[in-house]
């Protein structure tokens, strides 16, 4: 590995030094306390890796506020304690059991390349994702059941609808974790489903009564 | 699931509305273009879910700059195309093959609860994590080989050293992915290992020649 | 021409070789991608040729971020499609129509020799610039209307005020270009007026509500 | 204009504040002196607006070193004192007569969108650029004579050859300015022609004896 490791690009070094001399310098006492007392985030946010989803900016959040897991298409698999490595399930377990977050938020978004890829798979347009060796394809299989709920829609609406299915399936899968279920039933935690429209800056939330995402 | 889904807490709604009226309003043209033209991030950053790791702030990065995967202890498993769901591997595959990022950065940090948990496991102090049903423990098994490299150190230094092992193991495991290897050998991508000290605001980077993390 | 073309001075050759061995080597993958995929800058910056205006440093910007036009006194002429060569108008047209930049930023600065020259012309102290054969004087005529707004000020304040007029006149002239107007009205672009104080390192921005430049 | 002027995007404000607290703070005495004593650049560089041409980085240049004019395709028109606004001619006049720079450098580059546009015009593939109302097209007419020197080359080599013609035509046109000619003949200034390859990081310079660009 060593022959491929490089120093951080200079522009990032410069910007880091700028952060150190401003944001850090102005908040030194808070960072020190965060280090000494540990984190105590109020919420966990599960969102997509997409570079356009800027969670902390969207919610004016500073260091210490959100425990943040990000994966392709903000998906949560079902509870499956088979002894394998499950990064998402581990993050959820840590947030709920160790950090005892009060809110578990799943945030989907528009123009999601992952969701579009799943839609392409489901409609037979992405054979390369259906190959067993594709981690992206295998991961997106988690979203396949959602296609059943959107396939009757006009084609132009299917991908956006599937983005919202990604949020709902993740919320449903979260319910299969006994510790999530317990925290919810104890009233220690609530669930939230959001969908963010990149271009318009919109934010919709799942209304559980209707199953629809309604603009905030 | 529906009985546990709640409206977004008001404080987050308020902050979102503030973002919409300010940051979004001032950058509407950029968000619109990001939506229409798609993302084109220069780098992928793999970092921890920890709420104290504020990647975009640290590097003065705005929407569209970093493809961001976050999991417990910023770990990457080895290449293992067994057909199971591998969220981290899927994120890496998407970044390298679909987005063709130029830099793959693994960012560790101090006071990492995940790494401390692994250290507790390795020293026999965390039987609950060693149970097969613990997703956190199973996930942290990825870091176990790192304990071999730190167990001879004075005890007070072991956890911080293991945090750096987490970065190095992830970089090594990244090398097991054929598409990562190919991109590195083509000169299409470089690797970077960082460790961030929460309290002092410090940033160190892996010097591959020495295997040490050196302050920037 | 050939008898006057010389090899690049050694000090620049040396520095270039240093850049090649460090910055380039560390970011080869990014440069390669910029070459293959083309540029996609978020903003155009129109600034002065002055050697003390170091735009990329000021904003921690790296290769690929800013489309950069620089001329004497950061001036933009009015829309005038008369078939003549208009370098500034061509740069604006390319940025807006071909690159679809999201932000059009005009950056003025203190101690601007061009603006001081215009002030000298307007106060009758620079007959040599008023000669028809002076390209500098003819170019600075673009700024003459600004003198009307500053001539009642105390003399010591006039030149700095005229530097800010240069920014405002450029912004106003930009509005005369139909494609600029269209991009602004579509919400595809925003305008920004800045003035940089070389000595103090200050940066002020135009508040359109008051017409004043306010420190950032 | 006022309704379209916006505050500077926050990410640029943050980065500027970082620059102020680091680069500026460390060099305050130099910036102060630059403000008080004025600029005294050794060279003028004429380069393209392209965001991938990072002149100061390429030559490790700091504030005060290069008087920098940037336009589409680094073109200089012929001497033409017709009383119209000539931004490029004004910049050259200021550099030579007021600043008395020692080196006048024209820097072309690979993948130049402007040069590619001119090539498309010359081969009949860009009628929109040939319209009188296109500032880009009218500006690129300056480069048309260069097409005569490349049109017999294999097609795949023509655009890169035309990029080099852009440098040579600019150098030749510079010779038509009496004050440039005078400074050259007095031995007060030298000319330099460079071509930068974005992807490979290469830099070639015009060898006047052969008319070829040779790698540095």
């Amino acid at each position: 590995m060593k022959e491929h490791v490089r120093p951080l690009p200079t522009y990032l070094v410069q910007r880091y030094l700028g952060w150190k001399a401003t944001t850090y310098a102005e908040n030194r006492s808070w960072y020190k306390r965060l280090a000494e007392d540990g984190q105590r985030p109020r919420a966990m946010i599960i969102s997509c890796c997409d570079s356009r989803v800027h969670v902390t900016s969207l919610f004016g959040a500073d260091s210490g506020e959100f425990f943040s897991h990000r994966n392709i298409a903000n998906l949560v698999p079902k509870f499956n304690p088979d002894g394998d490595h499950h990064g998402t399930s581990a993050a959820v377990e840590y947030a709920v059991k160790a950090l005892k977050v009060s809110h578990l938020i799943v945030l989907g978004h528009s123009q999601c390349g992952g969701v579009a890829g799943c839609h392409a798979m489901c409609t037979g347009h992405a054979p390369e994702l259906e190959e067993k060796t594709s981690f992206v394809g295998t991961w997106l299989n988690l979203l396949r059941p959602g296609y059943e709920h959107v396939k009757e829609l006009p084609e132009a609406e299917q991908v956006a609808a599937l983005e919202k299915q990604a949020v709902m399936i993740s919320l449903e899968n979260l319910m299969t974790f006994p510790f999530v279920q317990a925290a919810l039933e104890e009233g220690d935690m609530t669930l939230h489903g959001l969908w963010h429209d990149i271009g318009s800056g919109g934010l919709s939330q799942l209304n559980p009564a209707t199953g629809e995402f309604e603009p905030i």
Side-chain angles (χ1 to χ4, degrees), chain A:
Chain A
M1 156 272 275
K2 292 183 178 175
E3 69 273 25
H4 296 296
V5 171
R6 293 285 177 285
L8 196 63
T10 312
Y11 81 105
L12 292 180
V13 171
Q14 281 300 114
R15 291 193 200 162
Y16 159 69
L17 295 173
W19 172 87
K20 184 90 191 289
T22 54
T23 303
Y24 175 75
E26 288 155 17
N27 297 284
R28 201 177 152 250
S29 54
W30 174 238
Y31 290 109
K32 204 176 152 210
R33 195 174 138 204
L34 278 178
E36 288 167 3
D37 295 357
Q39 64 174 327
R40 208 174 130 184
R42 177 164 168 183
M44 175 183 193
I45 296 202
I46 297 169
S47 62
C48 185
C49 300
D50 193 301
S51 65
R52 298 167 296 181
V53 177
H54 203 321
V55 183
T56 48
S57 174
L58 202 61
F59 292 116
D62 200 11
S63 259
E65 292 201 50
F66 292 145
F67 187 76
S68 188
H69 175 60
R70 300 181 68 164
N71 64 35
I72 300 278
N74 36 269
L75 293 171
V76 178
K78 282 206 173 73
F79 178 71
N80 180 18
D82 60 1
D84 271 354
H85 309 307
H86 294 289
T88 300
S89 303
V92 172
E93 181 183 296
Y94 193 83
V96 175
K97 291 175 74 173
L99 298 173
K100 300 185 197 305
V101 296
S102 300
H103 311 289
L104 219 168
I105 301 170
V106 179
L107 171 66
H109 71 101
S110 67
Q111 281 85 31
C112 182
V115 171
C118 180
H119 186 264
M121 281 204 296
C122 294
T123 53
H125 295 95
E128 74 287 2
L129 291 176
E130 298 201 64
E131 282 174 35
K132 269 225 155 170
T133 52
S134 168
F135 293 111
V136 173
T138 310
W139 178 251
L140 291 171
N141 280 335
L142 292 169
L143 179 54
R144 268 184 191 267
Y147 180 66
E148 295 307 306
H149 294 95
V150 309
K151 70 182 179 187
E152 312 290 352
L153 293 174
E155 212 185 306
E157 298 172 19
Q158 290 184 9
V159 173
L162 195 55
E163 288 164 356
K164 288 159 186 171
Q165 285 293 322
V167 176
M168 285 193 283
I169 286 173
S170 291
L171 290 171
E172 272 157 20
N173 288 350
L174 281 167
M175 296 297 296
T176 64
F177 289 75
F179 47 83
V180 171
Q181 186 95 42
L184 293 169
E185 280 169 7
E186 283 298 311
D188 289 339
M189 193 171 72
T190 51
L191 295 179
H192 307 268
L194 300 174
W195 179 81
H196 175 41
D197 186 75
I198 301 289
S200 74
L203 189 67
S204 302
Q205 65 180 330
L206 177 60
N207 179 337
T210 63
E212 299 293 316
F213 281 75
E214 297 168 356
I216 281 178

